[in-house]
Every structure is written in C-alpha cells, then in structure tokens.
Amino acid sequence: MDTVLVTGGAGYIGSHACKALARAGFIPVTFDNLATGWAEAVNWGPLVRGDLMDRGQIDAALAEHRPVAVLHFAALSLVGQSMRDPGRYWRVNVGGAQNLLEACVAAGVRNVVLSSTCATYGDQDGVLLTEDTPQRPITAYGGSKLAIELMLRDFGAAHAINHVIFRYFNVAGADPEGELGEQHTPETHLIPLMLEAVAGKRAGLTVFGTDYPTPDGTCVRDYVHVTDLADAHVLGLQRLLAGQGNGVFCLGTGRGFSVREVIEASRIVTNREVPFVLGGRREGDAAALVCSSTRAETVLGWEPQRSSLRQMIGDAWAWAQRPGFTA
Ligand code: UDP
C-alpha cells in the first residue's frame, strides 16, 4: 500500500482526511506537532510528532516513510489571531511550507496536495467566487496561504512537483460514525461555539456584526462538510498519482448562509434555542464568501454527500454531545 505524509493529520480536517485515505487504500502517516491537534485523532496510521519549522524532522520522516505524496494541512488558521500577530502567521505558515517543499525536493517526493482557503480572496462584494477570481487577501492568514500557493507553483515549475490546491470555504460537521469532530482550544468557529452554547457548556454566542451589506446584515459563508472535503483530497491525490496534471479547485456548495440562518437551522436541528447576543464586527471578516465548485465536480468527479446545513449541524451536534465532553 502507498504511504502518504499528512502534515496536520491530528487536526480537524487532516484527521478526517486520514480516515478517508485509509478507506481508499493508503497508509496515512501523520506529521504533527500537536500544538492544536490531538493524538487521539490519529487512528489510521502512524503519528510522527514533529514540527515543520525543523527541517531535520521533516527529512527524517520522509526518509523513514518514503511517501508517494504529501498532503499539507498543518498551519495556523485563525483570521482574527492573524490580524493581531501577523509575524507569527507569516513565519509559521510560509516558513513551514518552504521547509516542507524543500524537503520534498531533496527526498524526491513529487506530489503535493495543498490545503488553501477562501480567505485568499478577501472581500469581493458577494460575487460567486471561482478558481479564476483574482485573489486579494485582507488578512495575514489569507496572505500567508496565498504566498504558499505561489511558492508551490514556483516549486512545481522548477522541480517538477505535481500539485493540487484546494481552496476551501467554511468547513463544518463531524465524522458521521462519531469517531472524529471539531475540537479547538480555544474554540473560535461559529458552529461548534453555537452548539456549545446550546448544550449549556458556554454562556452564549455573540453574533459578530449586523451591519454587513448582506440580506440580514450578518456575514454570509459557504459551509461544506468535513467528510466531503476529505473525499475531495483523496480524489485530488488519485489525480496526481494517475499523472493527470496540476489543478486548483474551490470546495464549497455554491450556497451561502448568514449567521442568523445558521442559528435558525440549529434551532430546528437541536430543537433548542440558541442563546445569543448581537455584537460588533470581528476584524478581518469579509461580508460574504461563496464559491462555485463546478470545476471540482466536473474535473475530479467530486460529489458532496453531506453538505446540507442541517446535515452538517446534525453531525456536529452529535459530536458535541459525545460522552465525557466538556467545553
Ligand atoms: N461568527 C460569529 N460569532 C462567533 C464566531 C463566528 O458571529 O462567535 C461569524 C463570523 O463573523 C463569520 C462566521 O461566523 O462571519 C464564520 O466564522 P468562523 O470563525 O466559523 O469561520 P471563518 O469564516 O472565520 O473561517
């Protein structure tokens, strides 16, 4: 069986990708410093505890496991935090990616799947985003991810590294079999925060901004189920291994939901009220981010299975109610 190195494989999206890779017949080797990931989420292959800022640790992992490809998830990913501490985002995200790509060149690893983001687009007046929309990031997080995309393009051209770049929109939900889910410390994302408030594990939710140029004044986002995203990574990897060429793909549903709509969907799914207050804007938030995934569907054959808002909230709600969970 082919081995794949998964940086950030102990994190939310990376761990779901490891499960999907194992199901597709690969051995996922997780490379993670466990700064934000969880060792107990690594269940489908070995865990290498290592840091992308340490080139020697990457070299050692590539030499030991000889992967056919690298899936690169590991990064700092909080928009608000990146505005307060941009240097850390540029150093860790861009520096880590550079170490990884240089190690891949040295070890002869020629296939890379990169986790990128809708945050590379910035604020685009609510247009439906595609792979061809100009990227104009407005945050250090988005800027650092765009830099990594450009770095990968350059390494691809100079060193024959085949690559697939996925720009994801808002990832939500949890493993339908209940083995994995979202757990960040501290939690900052809308759906898990909201469900913790519903479960009485935190006081309440603050809606960040009600004066955006959107139909109800709250931010609009395109939510996509984490297992659908994981499946896309397997398809992207298979494309590279089949020699079908590089690609950039947006992953979303083409349908945006406002924060108020997410709260209303939660009320229906959980049959409980969401305790919330209206607050001011969070720095760095774009008004609306919604994408077309037509290219992923037609070129990769990607078919989202669980990305309805109610399904995502339902799976996240099951995860939030798991035994022993304390926020
Ligand atoms: N949001 C909110 N209250 C919260 C957390 C998030 O109103 O406590 C809003 C946020 O402003 C954004 C949307 O929910 O419009 C999704 O935010 P999240 O942090 O989940 O993802 P992001 O869009 O930053 O990747």
Side-chain angles (χ1 to χ4, degrees):
M1 284 203 287
D2 285 334
T3 294
V4 176
L5 192 80
V6 183
T7 74
Y12 172 44
I13 305 170
S15 61
H16 286 80
C18 285
K19 184 172 179 178
L21 286 168
R23 191 169 276 168
F26 296 95
I27 301 172
V29 175
T30 290
F31 184 92
D32 201 300
N33 65 7
L34 300 183
T36 55
W38 306 86
E40 54 272 32
V42 182
N43 293 314
W44 292 274
L47 168 64
V48 177
R49 191 165 177 175
D51 199 308
L52 291 176
M53 299 309 283
D54 185 333
R55 170 71 192 273
Q57 293 182 355
I58 311 171
D59 289 341
L62 294 178
E64 181 181 350
H65 295 285
R66 310 203 143 279
V68 294
V70 169
L71 266 58
H72 179 41
F73 294 96
L76 302 173
S77 62
L78 302 178
V79 166
Q81 187 184 60
S82 84
M83 300 301 281
R84 294 189 295 276
D85 194 356
R88 189 165 161 232
Y89 272 68
W90 283 93
R91 189 171 62 252
V92 172
N93 288 357
V94 180
Q98 184 171 349
N99 280 339
L100 178 67
L101 292 182
E102 288 176 342
C104 285
V105 171
V109 177
R110 292 284 180 267
N111 298 296
V112 174
V113 178
L114 173 67
S115 159
S116 188
T117 167
C118 59
T120 58
Y121 288 107
D123 217 343
Q124 304 257 2
D125 289 335
V127 296
L128 191 66
L129 302 168
T130 73
E131 295 79 4
D132 300 323
T133 307
Q135 291 162 288
R136 295 195 293 259
I138 56 172
T139 63
Y141 169 58
S144 71
K145 284 288 188 164
L146 177 56
I148 298 167
E149 287 195 18
L150 296 173
M151 194 194 306
L152 181 54
R153 185 197 63 187
D154 292 347
F155 273 69
H159 303 295
I161 293 191
N162 309 308
H163 52 279
V164 162
I165 296 171
F166 287 120
R167 294 183 192 138
Y168 345 126
F169 285 61
N170 282 62
V171 189
D175 173 42
E177 289 155 11
E179 294 185 289
L180 296 166
E182 190 162 9
Q183 46 182 341
H184 298 106
T185 313
E187 189 53 74
T188 64
H189 292 106
L190 175 63
I191 291 177
L193 280 177
M194 178 183 70
L195 295 177
E196 287 172 13
V198 170
K201 289 172 176 155
R202 68 173 66 237
L205 179 78
T206 302
V207 174
F208 292 147
T210 53
D211 60 347
Y212 284 98
T214 58
D216 67 21
T218 64
C219 288
V220 169
R221 293 287 181 274
D222 185 343
Y223 295 87
V224 57
H225 198 290
V226 65
T227 58
D228 286 334
L229 210 64
D231 290 344
H233 284 75
V234 173
L235 293 171
L237 173 63
Q238 288 168 335
R239 173 185 172 83
L240 290 181
L241 297 180
Q244 291 169 333
N246 301 331
V248 178
F249 302 98
C250 289
L251 299 177
T253 64
R255 165 85 164 90
F257 293 94
S258 71
V259 176
R260 285 186 202 269
E261 286 176 310
V262 173
I263 290 172
E264 176 57 18
S266 162
R267 201 178 61 77
I268 292 166
V269 170
T270 66
N271 205 21
R272 298 198 206 170
E273 293 300 324
V274 178
F276 70 91
V277 294
L278 303 177
R281 293 185 178 198
R282 180 174 67 178
E283 201 181 0
D285 274 343
L289 288 168
V290 182
C291 81
S292 160
S293 293
T294 303
R295 188 190 285 179
E297 288 161 20
T298 53
V299 176
L300 294 178
W302 183 58
E303 289 176 30
Q305 304 288 324
R306 299 184 75 84
S307 291
S308 74
L309 192 56
R310 288 190 192 184
Q311 185 85 69
M312 288 186 280
I313 293 174
D315 287 345
W317 180 231
W319 172 252
Q321 293 176 296
R322 67 195 181 280
F325 173 66
T326 48

PDB file of all heavy atoms in Angstrom, residues 4-32:
ATOM      1  N   VAL A   4       1.242   8.032   2.472  1.00  0.00           N
ATOM      2  CA  VAL A   4       1.073   9.465   2.209  1.00  0.00           C
ATOM      3  C   VAL A   4       1.398  10.212   3.500  1.00  0.00           C
ATOM      4  O   VAL A   4       0.888   9.854   4.562  1.00  0.00           O
ATOM      5  CB  VAL A   4      -0.384   9.771   1.777  1.00  0.00           C
ATOM      6  CG1 VAL A   4      -0.591  11.258   1.593  1.00  0.00           C
ATOM      7  CG2 VAL A   4      -0.726   9.019   0.503  1.00  0.00           C
ATOM      8  N   LEU A   5       2.251  11.226   3.423  1.00  0.00           N
ATOM      9  CA  LEU A   5       2.539  12.038   4.609  1.00  0.00           C
ATOM     10  C   LEU A   5       1.472  13.119   4.732  1.00  0.00           C
ATOM     11  O   LEU A   5       1.221  13.856   3.764  1.00  0.00           O
ATOM     12  CB  LEU A   5       3.924  12.691   4.505  1.00  0.00           C
ATOM     13  CG  LEU A   5       4.400  13.303   5.822  1.00  0.00           C
ATOM     14  CD1 LEU A   5       4.970  12.215   6.746  1.00  0.00           C
ATOM     15  CD2 LEU A   5       5.461  14.378   5.588  1.00  0.00           C
ATOM     16  N   VAL A   6       0.842  13.188   5.893  1.00  0.00           N
ATOM     17  CA  VAL A   6      -0.237  14.160   6.111  1.00  0.00           C
ATOM     18  C   VAL A   6       0.221  15.124   7.196  1.00  0.00           C
ATOM     19  O   VAL A   6       0.206  14.786   8.388  1.00  0.00           O
ATOM     20  CB  VAL A   6      -1.543  13.449   6.532  1.00  0.00           C
ATOM     21  CG1 VAL A   6      -2.669  14.462   6.681  1.00  0.00           C
ATOM     22  CG2 VAL A   6      -1.920  12.379   5.503  1.00  0.00           C
ATOM     23  N   THR A   7       0.647  16.324   6.804  1.00  0.00           N
ATOM     24  CA  THR A   7       1.015  17.302   7.830  1.00  0.00           C
ATOM     25  C   THR A   7      -0.274  17.836   8.436  1.00  0.00           C
ATOM     26  O   THR A   7      -1.248  18.096   7.721  1.00  0.00           O
ATOM     27  CB  THR A   7       1.847  18.465   7.259  1.00  0.00           C
ATOM     28  OG1 THR A   7       0.990  19.323   6.514  1.00  0.00           O
ATOM     29  CG2 THR A   7       3.002  17.969   6.388  1.00  0.00           C
ATOM     30  N   GLY A   8      -0.320  17.951   9.744  1.00  0.00           N
ATOM     31  CA  GLY A   8      -1.565  18.385  10.383  1.00  0.00           C
ATOM     32  C   GLY A   8      -2.602  17.282  10.429  1.00  0.00           C
ATOM     33  O   GLY A   8      -3.797  17.555  10.585  1.00  0.00           O
ATOM     34  N   GLY A   9      -2.163  16.034  10.362  1.00  0.00           N
ATOM     35  CA  GLY A   9      -3.109  14.914  10.346  1.00  0.00           C
ATOM     36  C   GLY A   9      -3.826  14.688  11.667  1.00  0.00           C
ATOM     37  O   GLY A   9      -4.775  13.907  11.728  1.00  0.00           O
ATOM     38  N   ALA A  10      -3.366  15.377  12.731  1.00  0.00           N
ATOM     39  CA  ALA A  10      -4.059  15.259  14.019  1.00  0.00           C
ATOM     40  C   ALA A  10      -5.100  16.364  14.204  1.00  0.00           C
ATOM     41  O   ALA A  10      -5.777  16.409  15.234  1.00  0.00           O
ATOM     42  CB  ALA A  10      -3.039  15.313  15.162  1.00  0.00           C
ATOM     43  N   GLY A  11      -5.219  17.248  13.219  1.00  0.00           N
ATOM     44  CA  GLY A  11      -6.176  18.353  13.319  1.00  0.00           C
ATOM     45  C   GLY A  11      -7.555  17.973  12.786  1.00  0.00           C
ATOM     46  O   GLY A  11      -7.796  16.832  12.383  1.00  0.00           O
ATOM     47  N   TYR A  12      -8.423  18.936  12.781  1.00  0.00           N
ATOM     48  CA  TYR A  12      -9.828  18.698  12.415  1.00  0.00           C
ATOM     49  C   TYR A  12      -9.945  18.154  10.980  1.00  0.00           C
ATOM     50  O   TYR A  12     -10.430  17.030  10.769  1.00  0.00           O
ATOM     51  CB  TYR A  12     -10.575  20.021  12.582  1.00  0.00           C
ATOM     52  CG  TYR A  12     -11.994  20.065  12.085  1.00  0.00           C
ATOM     53  CD1 TYR A  12     -12.886  19.031  12.333  1.00  0.00           C
ATOM     54  CD2 TYR A  12     -12.451  21.182  11.388  1.00  0.00           C
ATOM     55  CE1 TYR A  12     -14.204  19.107  11.898  1.00  0.00           C
ATOM     56  CE2 TYR A  12     -13.761  21.271  10.958  1.00  0.00           C
ATOM     57  CZ  TYR A  12     -14.638  20.233  11.204  1.00  0.00           C
ATOM     58  OH  TYR A  12     -15.924  20.315  10.769  1.00  0.00           O
ATOM     59  N   ILE A  13      -9.473  18.894  10.007  1.00  0.00           N
ATOM     60  CA  ILE A  13      -9.641  18.447   8.616  1.00  0.00           C
ATOM     61  C   ILE A  13      -8.658  17.315   8.307  1.00  0.00           C
ATOM     62  O   ILE A  13      -9.019  16.317   7.674  1.00  0.00           O
ATOM     63  CB  ILE A  13      -9.452  19.632   7.646  1.00  0.00           C
ATOM     64  CG1 ILE A  13     -10.408  20.775   8.017  1.00  0.00           C
ATOM     65  CG2 ILE A  13      -9.702  19.182   6.209  1.00  0.00           C
ATOM     66  CD1 ILE A  13     -10.149  22.064   7.277  1.00  0.00           C
ATOM     67  N   GLY A  14      -7.425  17.450   8.781  1.00  0.00           N
ATOM     68  CA  GLY A  14      -6.407  16.436   8.500  1.00  0.00           C
ATOM     69  C   GLY A  14      -6.788  15.057   9.017  1.00  0.00           C
ATOM     70  O   GLY A  14      -6.547  14.047   8.350  1.00  0.00           O
ATOM     71  N   SER A  15      -7.399  14.988  10.192  1.00  0.00           N
ATOM     72  CA  SER A  15      -7.751  13.672  10.741  1.00  0.00           C
ATOM     73  C   SER A  15      -8.869  13.024   9.925  1.00  0.00           C
ATOM     74  O   SER A  15      -8.851  11.812   9.679  1.00  0.00           O
ATOM     75  CB  SER A  15      -8.140  13.785  12.218  1.00  0.00           C
ATOM     76  OG  SER A  15      -9.261  14.615  12.392  1.00  0.00           O
ATOM     77  N   HIS A  16      -9.830  13.822   9.484  1.00  0.00           N
ATOM     78  CA  HIS A  16     -10.875  13.263   8.616  1.00  0.00           C
ATOM     79  C   HIS A  16     -10.269  12.804   7.285  1.00  0.00           C
ATOM     80  O   HIS A  16     -10.680  11.788   6.721  1.00  0.00           O
ATOM     81  CB  HIS A  16     -11.983  14.291   8.369  1.00  0.00           C
ATOM     82  CG  HIS A  16     -12.891  14.512   9.543  1.00  0.00           C
ATOM     83  ND1 HIS A  16     -12.555  15.325  10.602  1.00  0.00           N
ATOM     84  CD2 HIS A  16     -14.119  14.021   9.844  1.00  0.00           C
ATOM     85  CE1 HIS A  16     -13.538  15.329  11.483  1.00  0.00           C
ATOM     86  NE2 HIS A  16     -14.507  14.544  11.051  1.00  0.00           N
ATOM     87  N   ALA A  17      -9.271  13.550   6.792  1.00  0.00           N
ATOM     88  CA  ALA A  17      -8.613  13.143   5.539  1.00  0.00           C
ATOM     89  C   ALA A  17      -7.880  11.818   5.738  1.00  0.00           C
ATOM     90  O   ALA A  17      -7.895  10.961   4.850  1.00  0.00           O
ATOM     91  CB  ALA A  17      -7.659  14.236   5.067  1.00  0.00           C
ATOM     92  N   CYS A  18      -7.241  11.635   6.904  1.00  0.00           N
ATOM     93  CA  CYS A  18      -6.535  10.361   7.165  1.00  0.00           C
ATOM     94  C   CYS A  18      -7.510   9.188   7.118  1.00  0.00           C
ATOM     95  O   CYS A  18      -7.203   8.129   6.558  1.00  0.00           O
ATOM     96  CB  CYS A  18      -5.845  10.412   8.522  1.00  0.00           C
ATOM     97  SG  CYS A  18      -4.348  11.422   8.524  1.00  0.00           S
ATOM     98  N   LYS A  19      -8.683   9.387   7.701  1.00  0.00           N
ATOM     99  CA  LYS A  19      -9.670   8.306   7.678  1.00  0.00           C
ATOM    100  C   LYS A  19     -10.094   7.991   6.237  1.00  0.00           C
ATOM    101  O   LYS A  19     -10.186   6.815   5.844  1.00  0.00           O
ATOM    102  CB  LYS A  19     -10.884   8.690   8.540  1.00  0.00           C
ATOM    103  CG  LYS A  19     -11.907   7.581   8.632  1.00  0.00           C
ATOM    104  CD  LYS A  19     -13.007   7.864   9.638  1.00  0.00           C
ATOM    105  CE  LYS A  19     -14.013   6.703   9.634  1.00  0.00           C
ATOM    106  NZ  LYS A  19     -15.094   6.876  10.605  1.00  0.00           N
ATOM    107  N   ALA A  20     -10.306   9.035   5.440  1.00  0.00           N
ATOM    108  CA  ALA A  20     -10.700   8.822   4.040  1.00  0.00           C
ATOM    109  C   ALA A  20      -9.574   8.177   3.240  1.00  0.00           C
ATOM    110  O   ALA A  20      -9.822   7.313   2.382  1.00  0.00           O
ATOM    111  CB  ALA A  20     -11.103  10.167   3.412  1.00  0.00           C
ATOM    112  N   LEU A  21      -8.338   8.561   3.519  1.00  0.00           N
ATOM    113  CA  LEU A  21      -7.191   7.956   2.815  1.00  0.00           C
ATOM    114  C   LEU A  21      -7.104   6.469   3.126  1.00  0.00           C
ATOM    115  O   LEU A  21      -6.884   5.640   2.224  1.00  0.00           O
ATOM    116  CB  LEU A  21      -5.892   8.637   3.251  1.00  0.00           C
ATOM    117  CG  LEU A  21      -5.628  10.038   2.711  1.00  0.00           C
ATOM    118  CD1 LEU A  21      -4.462  10.679   3.456  1.00  0.00           C
ATOM    119  CD2 LEU A  21      -5.336  10.002   1.213  1.00  0.00           C
ATOM    120  N   ALA A  22      -7.256   6.113   4.403  1.00  0.00           N
ATOM    121  CA  ALA A  22      -7.175   4.702   4.791  1.00  0.00           C
ATOM    122  C   ALA A  22      -8.277   3.908   4.102  1.00  0.00           C
ATOM    123  O   ALA A  22      -8.053   2.802   3.604  1.00  0.00           O
ATOM    124  CB  ALA A  22      -7.282   4.582   6.311  1.00  0.00           C
ATOM    125  N   ARG A  23      -9.449   4.493   4.051  1.00  0.00           N
ATOM    126  CA  ARG A  23     -10.579   3.817   3.395  1.00  0.00           C
ATOM    127  C   ARG A  23     -10.299   3.609   1.907  1.00  0.00           C
ATOM    128  O   ARG A  23     -10.753   2.644   1.305  1.00  0.00           O
ATOM    129  CB  ARG A  23     -11.835   4.674   3.602  1.00  0.00           C
ATOM    130  CG  ARG A  23     -13.103   4.010   3.212  1.00  0.00           C
ATOM    131  CD  ARG A  23     -14.292   4.796   3.692  1.00  0.00           C
ATOM    132  NE  ARG A  23     -14.632   4.502   5.072  1.00  0.00           N
ATOM    133  CZ  ARG A  23     -15.483   5.210   5.809  1.00  0.00           C
ATOM    134  NH1 ARG A  23     -16.079   6.260   5.308  1.00  0.00           N
ATOM    135  NH2 ARG A  23     -15.748   4.858   7.047  1.00  0.00           N
ATOM    136  N   ALA A  24      -9.514   4.526   1.309  1.00  0.00           N
ATOM    137  CA  ALA A  24      -9.197   4.425  -0.124  1.00  0.00           C
ATOM    138  C   ALA A  24      -7.955   3.568  -0.380  1.00  0.00           C
ATOM    139  O   ALA A  24      -7.489   3.471  -1.517  1.00  0.00           O
ATOM    140  CB  ALA A  24      -9.001   5.829  -0.704  1.00  0.00           C
ATOM    141  N   GLY A  25      -7.372   2.975   0.692  1.00  0.00           N
ATOM    142  CA  GLY A  25      -6.267   2.043   0.488  1.00  0.00           C
ATOM    143  C   GLY A  25      -4.884   2.625   0.673  1.00  0.00           C
ATOM    144  O   GLY A  25      -3.890   1.988   0.307  1.00  0.00           O
ATOM    145  N   PHE A  26      -4.773   3.822   1.238  1.00  0.00           N
ATOM    146  CA  PHE A  26      -3.460   4.423   1.512  1.00  0.00           C
ATOM    147  C   PHE A  26      -3.128   4.265   2.995  1.00  0.00           C
ATOM    148  O   PHE A  26      -4.020   4.084   3.833  1.00  0.00           O
ATOM    149  CB  PHE A  26      -3.470   5.923   1.173  1.00  0.00           C
ATOM    150  CG  PHE A  26      -3.682   6.212  -0.285  1.00  0.00           C
ATOM    151  CD1 PHE A  26      -4.959   6.475  -0.787  1.00  0.00           C
ATOM    152  CD2 PHE A  26      -2.611   6.204  -1.163  1.00  0.00           C
ATOM    153  CE1 PHE A  26      -5.161   6.733  -2.137  1.00  0.00           C
ATOM    154  CE2 PHE A  26      -2.806   6.465  -2.517  1.00  0.00           C
ATOM    155  CZ  PHE A  26      -4.080   6.724  -3.004  1.00  0.00           C
ATOM    156  N   ILE A  27      -1.836   4.383   3.308  1.00  0.00           N
ATOM    157  CA  ILE A  27      -1.411   4.454   4.714  1.00  0.00           C
ATOM    158  C   ILE A  27      -1.083   5.911   5.024  1.00  0.00           C
ATOM    159  O   ILE A  27      -0.084   6.444   4.512  1.00  0.00           O
ATOM    160  CB  ILE A  27      -0.160   3.587   4.982  1.00  0.00           C
ATOM    161  CG1 ILE A  27      -0.440   2.128   4.632  1.00  0.00           C
ATOM    162  CG2 ILE A  27       0.282   3.725   6.444  1.00  0.00           C
ATOM    163  CD1 ILE A  27       0.800   1.249   4.675  1.00  0.00           C
ATOM    164  N   PRO A  28      -1.915   6.592   5.815  1.00  0.00           N
ATOM    165  CA  PRO A  28      -1.605   7.984   6.143  1.00  0.00           C
ATOM    166  C   PRO A  28      -0.634   8.066   7.309  1.00  0.00           C
ATOM    167  O   PRO A  28      -0.883   7.506   8.377  1.00  0.00           O
ATOM    168  CB  PRO A  28      -2.980   8.556   6.541  1.00  0.00           C
ATOM    169  CG  PRO A  28      -3.758   7.384   7.023  1.00  0.00           C
ATOM    170  CD  PRO A  28      -3.200   6.148   6.377  1.00  0.00           C
ATOM    171  N   VAL A  29       0.485   8.746   7.100  1.00  0.00           N
ATOM    172  CA  VAL A  29       1.449   8.994   8.182  1.00  0.00           C
ATOM    173  C   VAL A  29       1.266  10.444   8.611  1.00  0.00           C
ATOM    174  O   VAL A  29       1.499  11.366   7.831  1.00  0.00           O
ATOM    175  CB  VAL A  29       2.900   8.760   7.702  1.00  0.00           C
ATOM    176  CG1 VAL A  29       3.880   9.134   8.808  1.00  0.00           C
ATOM    177  CG2 VAL A  29       3.095   7.324   7.272  1.00  0.00           C
ATOM    178  N   THR A  30       0.809  10.633   9.831  1.00  0.00           N
ATOM    179  CA  THR A  30       0.559  11.985  10.326  1.00  0.00           C
ATOM    180  C   THR A  30       1.854  12.614  10.822  1.00  0.00           C
ATOM    181  O   THR A  30       2.583  12.008  11.613  1.00  0.00           O
ATOM    182  CB  THR A  30      -0.466  11.936  11.474  1.00  0.00           C
ATOM    183  OG1 THR A  30      -1.734  11.586  10.923  1.00  0.00           O
ATOM    184  CG2 THR A  30      -0.564  13.261  12.193  1.00  0.00           C
ATOM    185  N   PHE A  31       2.127  13.836  10.341  1.00  0.00           N
ATOM    186  CA  PHE A  31       3.257  14.631  10.844  1.00  0.00           C
ATOM    187  C   PHE A  31       2.640  15.857  11.510  1.00  0.00           C
ATOM    188  O   PHE A  31       2.026  16.689  10.843  1.00  0.00           O
ATOM    189  CB  PHE A  31       4.156  15.034   9.669  1.00  0.00           C
ATOM    190  CG  PHE A  31       5.406  15.766  10.079  1.00  0.00           C
ATOM    191  CD1 PHE A  31       6.597  15.091  10.315  1.00  0.00           C
ATOM    192  CD2 PHE A  31       5.401  17.153  10.229  1.00  0.00           C
ATOM    193  CE1 PHE A  31       7.751  15.771  10.692  1.00  0.00           C
ATOM    194  CE2 PHE A  31       6.538  17.836  10.609  1.00  0.00           C
ATOM    195  CZ  PHE A  31       7.726  17.152  10.837  1.00  0.00           C
ATOM    196  N   ASP A  32       2.767  15.934  12.827  1.00  0.00           N
ATOM    197  CA  ASP A  32       2.019  16.972  13.549  1.00  0.00           C
ATOM    198  C   ASP A  32       2.763  17.324  14.833  1.00  0.00           C
ATOM    199  O   ASP A  32       3.283  16.429  15.510  1.00  0.00           O
ATOM    200  CB  ASP A  32       0.619  16.415  13.888  1.00  0.00           C
ATOM    201  CG  ASP A  32      -0.408  17.495  14.159  1.00  0.00           C
ATOM    202  OD1 ASP A  32      -0.196  18.290  15.104  1.00  0.00           O
ATOM    203  OD2 ASP A  32      -1.413  17.544  13.433  1.00  0.00           O
TER     204      ASP A  32
END
